[in-house]
Amino acid sequence: MEPQTICTCRPGATVWLTGLPSAGKTTLAHELATRLRGEGRRVEVLDGDEIRSFLSAGLGFSREDRHTNVQRIGLVAEVLARNGITTLVPVIAPYADSREAVRKRHLGSDTPYLEVHVATPVEVCSVRDVKGLYAKQAAGEISGLTGVDDPYEAPTDPDLRIESHTQSVQESAAALHTLLTERGLA
């Protein structure tokens, strides 16, 4: 009879980083991913822009399409996290009901889920304007920019609120790492 192998795997988790465009979600996710990988963790970053190009290609920016996009990303994140991968998800996800549906999916499979609000004011985001979206919206070239002329429902009770405009990326990543550690997920 072969000896039984006991898995000493660390739990995975989904860390959903929501906030306005240019809030710093992706930058924070990559900084934390580097830190976690340095500690030997298995980590994936599901960047909203990359996912939209492939998994959600063909979807627009209506409320229904945004909901579908968030649910697709939520499914992938839950599967990865359920299998021991810390999954960082920097996605705007503007609607509270969409984010809540993702949380419920995770609860249904007993998979840890943390919601982090990268709470950067729109004035700061428009100055950062990483993708030029705020300039295009101001010039009338695009409409439906989240937080400007399309709604953003900020989380009312996130697991962590990060004000990226008042601290460095490293300080923000450290705060998020502390939360993961406190929850037994780092």
Side-chain angles (χ1 to χ4, degrees):
M1 188 169 185
E2 292 184 33
Q4 230 180 358
T5 303
I6 298 173
C7 180
T8 57
C9 303
R10 296 185 218 172
T14 294
V15 180
W16 197 280
L17 297 113
T18 180
L20 296 174
S22 297
K25 301 176 298 297
T26 301
T27 302
L28 174 56
H30 285 291
E31 179 72 23
L32 181 61
T34 298
R35 182 173 181 166
L36 291 171
R37 285 182 186 119
E39 296 172 353
R41 296 292 306 200
R42 294 175 23 190
V43 180
E44 287 295 332
V45 176
L46 299 180
D47 181 85
D49 292 331
E50 291 175 8
I51 295 290
R52 192 169 264 286
S53 297
F54 297 100
L55 185 63
S56 294
L59 291 178
F61 291 92
S62 68
R63 184 180 181 103
E64 296 79 22
D65 283 356
R66 288 176 190 243
H67 179 77
T68 299
N69 182 49
V70 167
Q71 296 317 296
R72 288 177 182 176
I73 297 168
L75 169 65
V76 173
E78 187 268 331
V79 169
L80 290 169
R82 181 170 22 105
N83 285 284
I85 297 170
T86 300
T87 308
L88 309 177
V89 187
V91 176
I92 295 168
Y95 301 110
D97 61 341
S98 295
R99 295 189 307 266
E100 184 57 26
V102 171
R103 180 187 295 277
K104 285 181 180 176
R105 168 178 286 287
H106 282 72
L107 287 173
S109 66
D110 199 29
T111 303
Y113 175 89
L114 300 173
E115 183 178 67
V116 177
H117 182 205
V118 183
T120 309
V122 70
E123 300 80 20
V124 174
C125 294
S126 66
V127 170
R128 290 179 180 172
D129 204 9
V130 176
K131 299 171 202 148
L133 298 175
Y134 292 94
K136 288 179 182 177
Q137 190 277 335
E141 296 173 23
I142 63 169
S143 63
L145 181 59
T146 302
V148 177
D149 59 353
D150 210 50
Y152 176 73
E153 299 169 356
T156 55
D157 192 26
D159 294 284
L160 181 64
R161 188 175 319 276
I162 292 178
E163 296 185 5
S164 70
H165 60 293
T166 65
Q167 59 191 28
S168 71
V169 174
Q170 294 75 21
E171 290 169 328
S172 296
L176 186 45
H177 188 272
T178 297
L179 175 65
L180 287 168
T181 301
E182 289 171 355
R183 302 281 175 95
L185 301 171

